[in-house]
Structures are given as C-alpha cells and as structure tokens.
Amino acid sequence: MHGSPIQDYLEGLHGRFLGHVEGTVADYIPELATVNPDGFGICIATQDGHAYEVGDSRQAFTIQSISKALTYGLALELNGQDAVLAKIGVEPSGDAFNAISLRPRTGAPMNPMINAGAIAACGLVPGATPEEKIGRILDVFSRYAGRRLDVDEQVYRSESETGHRNRAIGWMLRNFSILESEPTVTLETYFRQCAIRVTCRDLAMIGATLANGGVNPVSGERAVAQSHVQDVLSVMATCGMYDFSGEWFFRTGLPAKSGVGGGILAVQPGRLGIAVYSPRLDAQGNSARGIAVCRELASDLGLHLFDAAQRTVPSIRLSSTRRRIASRRRRSPQADEYLRSAGLGLRLYHLQGPLSFASVEPVVRELMAHIRATECAVLNLRMVQGIDAATARLLASTHARVTGLGKALLFSESASWWQQLTEAGVPREAFFADDDYALEHGENLLLAASHAPQHSDGPVPLTGCALFNGLDASQLARLDGLLDSRSYQKGQTIMAAGQASDELLILRSGTALVSVPTQEGVARLAVFGAGMTFGELAFIDGSPRSANVTALEPVECRVLTREKFAKLDHDAPSIKIRLLENLALDVTGKLRQANRELSALR
Ligand code: DON
C-alpha cells in the first residue's frame, strides 16, 4: 500500500534496522541453520483486519515456539481452565526455553511457554496419532491466520532427528503423569507444531485475531473462545520471552511470543497484532533485531499497555434534557409549556465506544446524582461498540435501582445489545426503537406525574384550536360556515406524499401520524393531536405533500380549502390576517424547537 503515513513510518523503521546484524541463526535444529540470516520483515495488522507490511513480510519460516501460545489456548478450550492449571503452572520460570523447569513435587511445568509446559499442553490435545493431533492444531492455527497453513516437513524431520532434550522432557512429564500416555505421539506432534510454516503477515493476523477477542477480523472465523484470549495473553505477557520476559514487558508493555525460527509476535489487546521476522537470535533464543524493532515501535507509537495516556474514551457523547430535545409528539400549548418547565426531569444521554466498568461508571454516577429530580432517563446506545458482561450486569442493576426509586431508565437504538442486556436482567419494556419513542414515553411519565388534567376525548371546539386563536365569536361563526367536516377511521390515509395540497386540516379529535418512508422502514416526523393544524407547509407554499399522514385512531377534522382561504381576501381580510399570523406562530414554534435540537446535537 502506498500513500499512507503509517506505511511511510514502517518503511523508515525497516530502513533504520537494515544494518542490524547482531546474533546468530539457530543451528541446534540443523535445517534452521540453512535460512538466509538477513531476512527481515515487519507487519502490523489492526483489530479490524488491515495490514501494513514491509520487507520480507511474505517470506515463509517456521513458527517454532510462537505455536506454544496458540496450542495453550486450544488445550484450555478443550479441557477447561481447571484441568489445564492442574497440569501446567502460570509462573514465569526465569529460565531458558529448553530448561527442565518442573515443580519439585508435582512435576508440573512452571508455565506453558517453556518447552516442558508446551509439550504438556500438546499432550492435552486429543488424538491417538501425531497426524490426528496435528490435524486439529493446523485447523486452529489456520483459523487464526485466516488461510490454510502447512508443516515444513524438512524442518520437522530435522528437529525430530535431533530433539533428544525435548524427548527427555517428554519422559520426565510422563514420569509425573503430566503426560498420561507414552510421550512419543505428543513429542512428534510438538515437533510438527513447531514446524508449521507462517509468514510475518500471518503472524500479525494471528495477533490481530487475539486482539479481536479470538475472531480473525478478515474471515470472521473464531479461532479461540473469547474467554481464553485473556489466558493466552496473560502467559504471553509474563512468560512469552522466557528469561527476558521482565525486561521485554518493561520496555514494550506488550504480551509477546518469540520463536527460534526468527519470528516475534506481539499483541496490543483490542487493537493490534505486530510481527517481526529476522532470524538472527540473541543468547535467550529471541530474534535480536526483532526485539530492537519492537522496542522502538512500541515507544514510537505509544503502545505500552501501562502508558498513562491510554485512558478510557469518555462514554457520554451527548447529554441533554427535555428543555432542549422533545419527542415528535406535538403537545397542546399547556402540556408543552409544562414539559419545558419540568424538562430537567427527562434526561437523554448518547453513549459511545466500548462500554466497560471504567467508561460506564461516570454514566451511573451522573444518573444517580440527578435521580431525585429525574422522572425518566434515556440511554441511547447507537454509537456503542461493545458491552462486556460485567458492564451489562452493571447497567441491569442500575436499571433495577432506578426503577426501585419509582423512576424510569430506558434504552434506545440498542438492537445490537438487546440480547445481552435482557440476559443481564433489563426487562423488555425498557427498550425503545429510537429517542423519539423513548422521549415520548418519558414525556407521558412527566405529564402523568404533573397531575394536570388531561383534556377529554370529545372533539375540541374551534376556540380550542390554535389556528383560530384571537378570533371573536362572530368571526368563528363565519369560519364555521366555511369549513368542511371530515372523519377518518383508524389506519386510514389522510394525506399521501406527492398529492396536490389545496387544503389545511384542523384536527378536532384523535391523533394523526406524519411519516416518510425510509430505507429502514418508516420515519416518524410528527404525531398531532386535537386542536392542532397540519398540512400547513404545502398549504402555504403550494408544493405537493411531502409526507404521508395516517389516522392513528378515529380522527375528526375541519378542512379549510385554498379556494375558501383565497376568498377571505376581500370577504373578511381581518380573519385572513389572523389565520396567517397563527400559521406563522405555528411554523416559528416548530422552527424554534428544531433549532434547540440542532444546537443540542452539535
Ligand atoms: O522446542 C524447541 O526446541 C523448538 N522447536 C522451539 C523452541 C523455540 O522456538 C524457542 N523460542 N525462542
């Protein structure tokens, strides 16, 4: 890829280390001594699957000890954490990779990253033959890498012919019943597992899969259960670089694993997989140039996990109240005034990012700080990228506490998180399709708590319709004669988008929905109730209807046609002026509300 500053950076880094020739290639496995010592590739793969690569990033080499981390994950998945911990410890040994570090009485290897622990983990992969066992291992490694991997038969044979020390370890493990059967099958599998062929790019993708919770971000296939990803990364962090693990973590702050084939895999959990290939090794059997490159990269890009700058993203991206944001249900002037005055009782928060304890704690604190003056709070989850199980439980217990205080906590646009939250205990009735419906519910709760008389169901008289404000009795009587009456059944279309607009409707009873079709379904623009006027926009400027209007319940209207409105010009100009003033007030009221919402959303 060209034209990316990140690619430029990687090329610069590669260039700076081209002359780094410290160390020697592994030769205790004869076949490894034949590789080109100058091979050098770097690849960074992101948690969403984009790879930046430079140098020999596509050159194949054997995975060697990096395989230990993945086979450990497989052993955990197949046997469960307790059974694996009973056989293999998780303590850094501070010893070399091939040390026979077994606990004195039990014979359990200190950790799964040294050979003893890795051979024990390989023993926990079921299979009666090496072919059967390696088949399972290859399947899983291929899922991590996102492509089919294979074994380098020459390197396998070379190690099998010379791997006497590992055989000795195998028999020691058999002696302590850490391996429960004759160790040859496991050892031959282990030698093959070490000889699985990868490229630097594969390793970075394997890292990205770990960073992505165990799912390869390109193929979408799961390689390991999410619950074991943290187990794997933990032993990589504490033991992955053998007797260099402490200094490695101090310098880079990244869980990592090296192999004598020359590869290093490092992971920034939740974010990146990083791989370097350079086969000259230092005294500990880690790629010498790989370590130097990773140190510089981690420092240049600020990747250390304990970097104090890596704070939680604030999870509240919008905080507003009914003072500024309203549902699309139009209210009577009195109800509207009340809702605005009591507006602080209805609060809306838009949350963002991955929700964790640390990012949701300020939300819970904010909610509880206002809870006495709150009737209803709405949490919009549209921009949320993830909710961990503990946080889902925290949201459910917050919901229970708020409800217990006689208040409401609602969730809107939370389809992606619905299942997780209901399983954690949030009841279904707390979920609303969007802010509009949730706010409408909150407004209804505020109005119910106000104990103000709600208007009766009968048709409102003309004096109760905002369009006729300020007209005297004789003017009203005159208008009454001009207006047609019309009624609609529930569900009936009152106006359809595109129609000519030669009339204005005044709703006397029932409610009507103004909506437009969208790609996702239907967008609700407004819900009108008794006393309100609709169809005014097209009536004023003569354009075709821009939306559909449907009766949500039986509706009775009065209708003013354009023709009769025009005749008022010389029959009764004072009535016409008053109607125009009232229409202007209606439109400015709507515009003011739209402006309040726009500024709240900025
Ligand atoms: O067990 C062995 O000797 C090798 N097949 C793997 C060792 C290894 O990669 C050590 N790591 N740096």
Side-chain angles (χ1 to χ4, degrees):
M1 194 182 89
H2 294 285
S4 153
I6 298 165
Q7 183 66 27
D8 292 347
Y9 165 76
L10 222 51
E11 281 166 16
L13 180 72
H14 189 262
R16 282 201 295 287
F17 282 90
L18 264 182
H20 187 294
V21 292
E22 279 162 36
T24 45
V25 298
D27 57 5
Y28 75 99
I29 299 172
E31 192 62 29
L32 288 186
T34 67
V35 302
N36 170 11
D38 294 324
F40 181 28
I42 310 174
C43 182
I44 297 181
T46 60
Q47 167 269 332
D48 63 356
H50 185 79
Y52 299 91
E53 49 189 311
V54 63
D56 303 317
S57 58
R58 305 279 177 123
Q59 182 175 319
F61 56 94
T62 54
I63 191 168
Q64 298 297 338
S65 285
I66 300 167
S67 66
K68 295 168 176 174
L70 310 188
T71 302
Y72 182 59
L74 176 61
L76 284 165
E77 196 158 281
L78 295 174
N79 301 273
Q81 210 186 47
D82 291 345
V84 175
L85 285 175
K87 286 192 184 290
I88 311 167
V90 286
E91 287 308 327
S93 64
D95 291 331
F97 70 87
N98 57 2
I100 308 184
S101 293
L102 308 183
R103 287 217 186 265
R105 271 183 310 104
T106 59
M110 293 291 282
N111 67 65
M113 300 291 102
I114 52 168
N115 291 4
I119 294 168
C122 189
L124 288 169
V125 176
T129 61
E131 289 70 26
E132 212 179 305
K133 274 162 121 37
I134 196 68
R136 274 176 177 271
I137 290 171
L138 264 175
D139 281 350
V140 170
F141 284 28
S142 302
R143 263 185 264 143
Y144 271 103
R147 74 177 184 97
R148 192 70 208 163
L149 301 178
D150 62 5
V151 171
D152 183 325
E153 290 297 329
Q154 263 168 294
V155 174
Y156 155 63
R157 249 177 275 120
S158 180
E159 181 163 10
S160 177
E161 280 157 16
T162 53
H164 311 305
R165 188 181 173 92
N166 281 332
R167 288 209 170 78
I169 292 173
W171 285 103
M172 286 287 282
L173 295 172
R174 178 70 194 96
N175 174 61
F176 287 107
S177 294
I178 299 294
L179 288 181
E180 288 173 5
S181 58
E182 196 271 335
T184 308
V185 169
T186 291
L187 285 162
E188 293 307 316
T189 307
Y190 172 72
F191 295 145
R192 282 182 170 86
Q193 162 193 317
C194 289
I196 289 175
R197 232 189 310 236
V198 289
T199 64
C200 193
R201 184 190 163 91
D202 291 330
L203 284 186
M205 280 299 172
I206 290 171
T209 300
L210 286 167
N212 191 38
V215 172
N216 179 295
V218 178
S219 70
E221 268 198 86
R222 179 166 287 287
V224 60
Q226 169 139 10
S227 56
H228 294 308
V229 169
Q230 73 181 32
D231 301 340
V232 170
L233 293 176
S234 299
V235 293
M236 285 169 69
T238 52
C239 320
M241 305 297 279
Y242 314 111
D243 40 342
F244 186 67
S245 297
E247 181 163 350
W248 165 272
F249 198 82
F250 185 88
R251 301 280 184 196
T252 66
L254 299 172
K257 188 72 208 82
S258 64
V260 289
I264 294 184
L265 161 65
V267 180
Q268 195 189 31
R271 296 177 185 152
L272 299 175
I274 298 158
V276 183
Y277 168 62
S278 176
R280 288 195 183 90
L281 309 181
D282 62 15
Q284 281 101 351
N286 298 322
S287 166
R289 179 157 54 183
I291 286 180
V293 167
C294 287
R295 267 184 65 169
E296 180 139 327
L297 189 105
S299 147
D300 287 351
L301 306 185
L303 304 182
H304 199 297
L305 284 184
F306 299 156
D307 181 343
Q310 295 191 7
R311 305 222 185 91
T312 337
V313 185
S315 62
I316 302 180
R317 61 185 281 273
L318 170 90
S319 162
S320 193
T321 70
R322 179 55 174 78
R323 290 245 163 112
R324 306 179 84 180
I325 292 192
S327 83
R328 300 216 167 90
R329 177 171 283 268
R330 306 270 179 235
R331 308 283 177 175
S332 68
Q334 305 86 305
D336 213 29
E337 202 181 302
Y338 174 76
L339 287 173
R340 193 90 45 74
S341 71
L344 294 180
L346 175 54
R347 316 186 77 89
L348 172 68
Y349 301 97
H350 281 205
L351 306 188
Q352 67 181 359
L355 300 189
S356 61
F357 174 79
S359 66
V360 166
E361 179 276 334
V363 179
V364 174
R365 191 158 18 118
E366 156 91 9
L367 270 177
M368 297 321 286
H370 292 109
I371 199 68
R372 280 168 68 93
T374 301
E375 201 58 49
C376 175
V378 179
L379 300 181
N380 178 301
L381 305 186
R382 183 162 69 96
M383 300 297 275
V384 164
Q385 288 161 334
I387 303 181
D388 64 38
T391 308
R393 287 196 296 274
L394 176 61
L395 288 171
S397 59
T398 306
H399 180 272
R401 175 156 267 262
V402 169
T403 317
L405 293 169
K407 321 281 182 158
L409 177 60
L410 313 179
F411 295 89
S412 86
E413 292 193 90
S414 44
S416 311
W417 317 111
W418 180 86
Q419 189 175 357
Q420 218 184 331
L421 290 172
T422 48
E423 278 170 13
V426 180
R428 282 155 184 262
E429 58 271 19
F431 294 91
F432 286 78
D434 57 24
D435 288 348
D436 182 24
Y437 286 98
L439 290 171
E440 179 185 13
H441 186 78
E443 289 166 356
N444 290 342
L445 293 175
L446 276 182
L447 289 170
S450 77
H451 306 298
Q454 307 291 310
H455 83 81
S456 64
D457 283 344
V460 295
L462 290 191
T463 47
C465 298
L467 182 65
F468 305 130
N469 282 351
L471 293 173
D472 63 26
S474 71
Q475 289 173 312
L476 280 174
R478 180 145 188 197
L479 261 177
D480 202 8
L482 289 180
L483 300 173
D484 294 339
S485 292
R486 211 179 281 159
S487 51
Y488 297 90
Q489 280 150 27
K490 181 178 170 175
Q492 203 176 341
T493 298
I494 302 175
M495 294 172 179
Q499 279 177 347
S501 48
D502 43 14
E503 50 190 40
L504 189 63
L505 277 79
I506 302 101
L507 200 72
R508 296 193 56 217
S509 70
T511 49
L513 165 73
V514 185
S515 66
V516 284
T518 65
Q519 275 179 336
E520 292 87 46
V522 177
R524 175 168 109 147
L525 297 186
V527 174
F528 289 103
M532 299 173 200
T533 303
F534 60 95
E536 75 289 351
L537 291 183
F539 185 79
I540 293 169
D541 67 8
S543 59
R545 297 287 183 209
S546 54
N548 298 313
V549 181
T550 328
L552 288 178
E553 41 188 283
V555 155
E556 281 184 38
C557 305
R558 302 301 300 270
V559 181
L560 176 59
T561 62
R562 186 182 300 284
E563 193 193 337
K564 291 192 173 142
F565 189 60
K567 276 182 74 184
L568 290 173
D569 276 351
H570 79 316
D571 288 1
S574 59
I575 295 184
K576 175 141 189 184
I577 288 169
R578 180 56 80 173
L579 292 180
L580 284 171
E581 273 175 5
N582 287 337
L583 275 175
L585 281 175
D586 184 53
V587 173
T588 50
K590 287 170 184 161
L591 199 55
R592 272 186 210 289
Q593 178 58 26
N595 286 343
R596 270 194 294 272
E597 291 187 11
L598 271 182
S599 71
L601 290 171
R602 262 209 306 218

